[in-house]
Amino acid sequence: MEQKIYMQRESAAPVPASGGRHRKPKQMRVASRRARAAVVATPMAVAMFSGTSAFAADKGTTARPVNSAADKSAGSGSDGRMAANLNTRVNDPRLGTHLSGVVLDASSDKVVWGHDASTALMPASNTKLLTATAALSVLGPDHRFTTKVTYRDGTLTLVGGGDRLLTTADLTRLAQTSAAKLKSQGVGVVKVRVDDSLFPEPTPAKGWRGDYYPGEVAPVRALVVDGRSVLDTSVDAGKTFAKKLAAAGVVVNGDVTRGRAGASDVSVALHHSPKLSESVRKMLKLSDNNIAETLLRMTALGTGRPATFEGGTAAVRQVLKGYGVPLTNVKLYDGSGLSRSDRIPAATLAAVLDLTQDHPQTLRPVLDGLPVSGEAGSTLGPEWGRFDDPHSTCAVGKVRAKTGTLSGAISLSGVTRGQDGRLKVFAFVENDASAAPAATKDALDGLAATVNGCWA
């Protein structure tokens, strides 16, 4: 019978919608104790990030290190066999010599295995795990972003609100509503402009390559339609809106321009995005860089910071510090992991994933968004050659994990049930391997299959 490891707790009971837990109380490590004492499954107020931290309990303590020799093996039993196998397989030449890895038992929080787990390496898209956790914690999984249309002195302004899931169909409805209200007031000719001033003028992050725009990521703006990655997503969305407005019977005079809606503008139409949880799931499932960078800015705004890379990464660090996640040697410069200057240890990635077990009501979308091994249409699908190696095919459907790939960096962090039936959290980050990327990914998939125990 296939292992269903991602939707159930230790008791095999489904996770309730309320986020309650059905496992015995455990001796939690410091990170979990501090989070349990101070974090609730609701959005954090801006006030939490000004003055004294809301997570003040146990300020003098730190999360347990996982880099010692004692962490190399968990002793006898299935965990001991798994650790022994990992000790051997981590030396696979396809992985090179720079690898940070760790495996935790999610129920006991015991470190089952570690290999340079506190060494910070370039994490690639595993950075999105931190971005997702912070966004959900600050804004809440039910948060929605608002796109609106205002009118003043013959001009309609399409105002962006950070909705990366806005579609042409949504703009069509906004245009139709706007047209109906204009006609009711005898207005048949307008100019159209876009207001994306929620975010400052876009700039590349530290560590971004010059050729990232617009293929890997678009300049980060507060307005976009259909997720199109173009140099000016706001004007592109405005043009779509103008076409739909014309189709609704309103004459659009001139080209779409950029400007700010004023305080005296009249609101004529609103659109609310799907819940934030849906944006997070899509971001993780498809490793969408544009969603990640937008959520980083919205998280910054949610904490009263400017919508910049600096404001967003500061908000992420504050949230993770509050949860007790180890941040030693962590360097963050963006929300997507495209920055070649980002550095995150496996211990930090595993600690972030482990939070989903203690705060399911808030962080469940992180777990739900992780690609499933062999899932077509995700970054772990067969179209990407994942989990198709003789040693890893046994784990198809049994692993949920976030992928990460940059030149010189490949990562895989997720969850699976071990041979003992208990949920394991793992993180593997590899840098500078000389093998072909596909071969290195096969080796990492094999490590995940080792954690699962199907590759015994």
Side-chain angles (χ1 to χ4, degrees):
M1 180 177 178
E2 181 179 291
Q3 292 169 300
K4 298 297 184 182
I5 54 90
Y6 0 95
M7 300 302 182
Q8 297 179 341
R9 296 282 181 215
E10 197 65 36
S11 64
V15 177
S18 65
R21 300 173 66 174
H22 292 282
R23 58 186 185 188
K24 293 181 179 180
K26 65 188 181 185
Q27 183 64 38
M28 293 181 289
R29 68 181 189 280
V30 171
S32 296
R33 289 200 304 269
R34 192 187 309 174
R36 175 63 61 83
V39 180
V40 293
T42 56
M44 299 181 190
V46 173
M48 290 184 176
F49 295 91
S50 59
T52 304
S53 170
F55 308 104
D58 298 332
K59 286 194 296 184
T61 60
T62 57
R64 179 178 180 269
V66 294
N67 198 37
S68 65
D71 290 322
K72 286 284 186 177
S73 173
S76 60
S78 59
D79 278 353
R81 291 190 296 272
M82 178 235 293
N85 285 334
L86 287 172
N87 284 336
T88 298
R89 294 165 187 171
V90 78
N91 294 313
D92 188 321
R94 295 176 296 176
L95 295 172
T97 57
H98 299 101
L99 184 137
S100 178
V102 70
V103 179
L104 308 177
D105 182 281
S107 180
S108 67
D109 284 343
K110 179 179 68 176
V111 177
V112 177
W113 175 85
H115 177 88
D116 292 339
S118 297
T119 299
L121 297 176
M122 187 172 15
S125 283
N126 272 207
T127 301
K128 294 180 175 74
L129 294 170
L130 281 63
T131 304
T133 298
L136 290 165
S137 299
V138 170
L139 303 172
D142 294 335
H143 183 81
R144 298 177 188 269
F145 306 113
T146 301
T147 304
K148 63 182 180 180
V149 181
T150 66
Y151 176 80
R152 180 168 60 92
D153 297 335
T155 298
L156 278 180
T157 304
L158 179 64
V159 184
D163 178 10
R164 287 296 314 187
L165 302 187
L166 188 72
T167 66
T168 294
D170 298 329
L171 288 183
T172 299
R173 286 187 286 271
L174 284 173
Q176 291 171 342
T177 300
S178 300
K181 290 188 177 181
L182 290 172
K183 291 176 183 178
S184 71
Q185 298 299 312
V187 178
V189 181
V190 297
K191 294 180 179 180
V192 171
R193 66 181 180 180
V194 294
D195 180 351
D196 58 2
S197 60
L198 184 66
F199 298 168
E201 185 67 20
T203 59
K206 178 180 179 180
W208 278 17
R209 292 189 342 195
D211 60 355
Y212 280 168
Y213 289 158
E216 294 294 336
V217 66
V220 189
R221 303 182 191 274
L223 181 60
V224 64
V225 63
D226 296 331
R228 289 201 285 264
S229 192
V230 296
L231 289 176
D232 195 330
T233 60
S234 300
V235 170
D236 177 61
K239 289 179 178 178
T240 298
F241 175 72
K243 289 178 182 178
K244 298 304 178 182
L245 196 63
V250 174
V251 176
V252 177
N253 188 10
D255 295 331
V256 174
T257 60
R258 179 176 272 106
R260 289 195 179 211
S264 60
D265 281 23
V266 177
S267 179
V268 296
L270 294 173
H271 170 74
H272 300 294
S273 74
K275 293 179 180 180
L276 172 61
S277 56
E278 185 171 333
S279 292
V280 167
R281 291 186 190 103
K282 182 175 182 180
M283 175 186 70
L284 296 175
K285 192 75 70 175
L286 303 180
S287 201
D288 191 301
N289 297 319
N290 289 304
I291 294 177
E293 298 304 345
T294 298
L295 291 186
L296 185 74
R297 280 154 180 74
M298 298 307 291
T299 302
L301 291 173
T303 65
R305 293 177 168 88
T308 61
F309 290 110
E310 294 79 10
T313 54
V316 171
R317 295 184 73 95
Q318 184 68 34
V319 169
L320 298 182
K321 180 181 178 182
Y323 278 123
V325 172
L327 296 176
T328 303
N329 299 323
V330 170
K331 296 180 180 180
L332 283 179
Y333 296 99
D334 64 2
S336 62
L338 282 173
S339 175
R340 301 189 64 79
S341 298
D342 288 345
R343 295 292 184 271
I344 305 176
T348 297
L349 293 168
V352 168
L353 280 170
D354 197 34
L355 293 174
T356 63
Q357 302 303 300
D358 294 309
H359 307 282
Q361 187 170 341
T362 300
L363 301 180
R364 178 61 178 272
V366 173
L367 202 62
D368 291 344
L370 296 177
V372 179
S373 48
E375 178 187 11
S378 78
T379 57
L380 279 184
E383 63 269 38
W384 296 102
R386 303 307 297 261
F387 287 86
D388 61 357
D389 180 272
H391 298 305
S392 62
T393 52
C394 63
V396 167
K398 301 175 183 177
V399 173
R400 277 188 182 265
K402 181 69 194 78
T403 58
T405 305
L406 286 176
S407 56
I410 298 177
S411 53
L412 187 68
S413 300
V415 297
T416 186
R417 286 207 181 275
Q419 210 167 31
D420 59 3
R422 296 162 68 92
L423 193 68
K424 311 298 179 185
V425 178
F426 65 84
F428 305 114
V429 183
E430 171 280 321
N431 281 188
D432 300 324
S434 59
T440 300
K441 291 175 183 178
D442 284 343
L444 287 178
D445 293 348
L447 295 184
T450 303
V451 177
N452 173 262
C454 66
W455 183 20

